[in-house]
Amino acid sequence: MLPTKANSPLLDAAQAAFLGGPVAINVASHDAARVPSIARAFGCRVSADRREVVVFLSHPRSRNILDDLAAGAPIAAVFSRPATHVTLQLKAAGARIQQLAAGDREIMLASGAAFIAEIMALGYSENFSRALMAPAGDDAVGVAFTPEAVFEQTPGPKAGMRLEPKL
């Protein structure tokens, strides 16, 4: 079958690689009254076919957003590289909360180490950098979703532009 926009993943290979790079990841949703909830994620995993993204959240530090997502609220995840401000936003109508899979803790540690190195190179102290990315430990969960929209959010003239799959 020839690739078409309808059967292509929204993320291309470069975008999928970017999500796993030294990026700050923030995840947002809202409750039934549309009160926003937000949490910092500690890394992500993109499926081999680039159709599913799993972000890793600390359960105790992310109770509100996890409750909102469990109730069926939509999800938005923002991935931003501190050194360049290159930013992508992914949105989906909902998400699944799941236990970590084999290898997820290693992804979290590698993501944290890459982010720490990135912001230390920008002049942030080691203590601050490590505190910001303190691993979630045994309390982490995965939040899986299938991106339904991808947006360019890098500051500049294209910020807010919806990105379409590349064939």
Side-chain angles (χ1 to χ4, degrees):
M1 173 168 62
L2 292 174
T4 66
K5 284 189 179 185
N7 67 16
S8 295
L10 286 182
L11 296 171
D12 65 28
Q15 292 166 333
F18 173 79
L19 301 184
V23 292
I25 306 169
N26 291 297
V27 182
S29 191
H30 61 76
D31 65 15
R34 301 192 67 77
V35 174
S37 55
I38 189 167
R40 175 174 294 281
F42 296 92
C44 81
R45 173 173 34 88
V46 179
S47 64
D49 67 2
R50 303 187 313 270
R51 294 180 190 282
E52 182 178 75
V53 174
V54 180
V55 292
F56 309 121
L57 300 180
S58 163
H59 193 272
R61 294 182 228 168
S62 308
R63 289 188 195 276
N64 289 347
I65 191 167
L66 291 170
D67 288 347
D68 295 343
L69 295 171
I75 185 171
V78 176
F79 301 77
S80 184
R81 184 162 186 188
T84 63
H85 300 292
V86 171
T87 305
L88 288 177
Q89 180 183 50
L90 312 180
K91 291 186 176 186
R96 293 183 328 280
I97 299 165
Q98 59 190 34
Q99 297 299 314
L100 296 182
D104 285 349
R105 289 192 195 290
E106 291 77 12
I107 293 170
M108 287 172 42
L109 291 172
S111 294
F115 183 78
I116 288 166
E118 177 97 354
I119 64 173
M120 284 179 60
L122 296 173
Y124 290 90
S125 74
E126 183 174 356
N127 287 342
F128 172 81
S129 302
R130 291 196 183 285
L132 187 62
M133 289 307 292
D138 290 336
D139 63 359
V141 295
V143 175
F145 64 98
T146 300
E148 297 169 9
V150 179
F151 296 90
E152 172 65 52
Q153 294 294 11
T154 304
K158 294 184 179 181
M161 183 175 79
R162 187 177 182 139
L163 301 175
E164 297 299 327
K166 297 176 185 172
L167 298 180

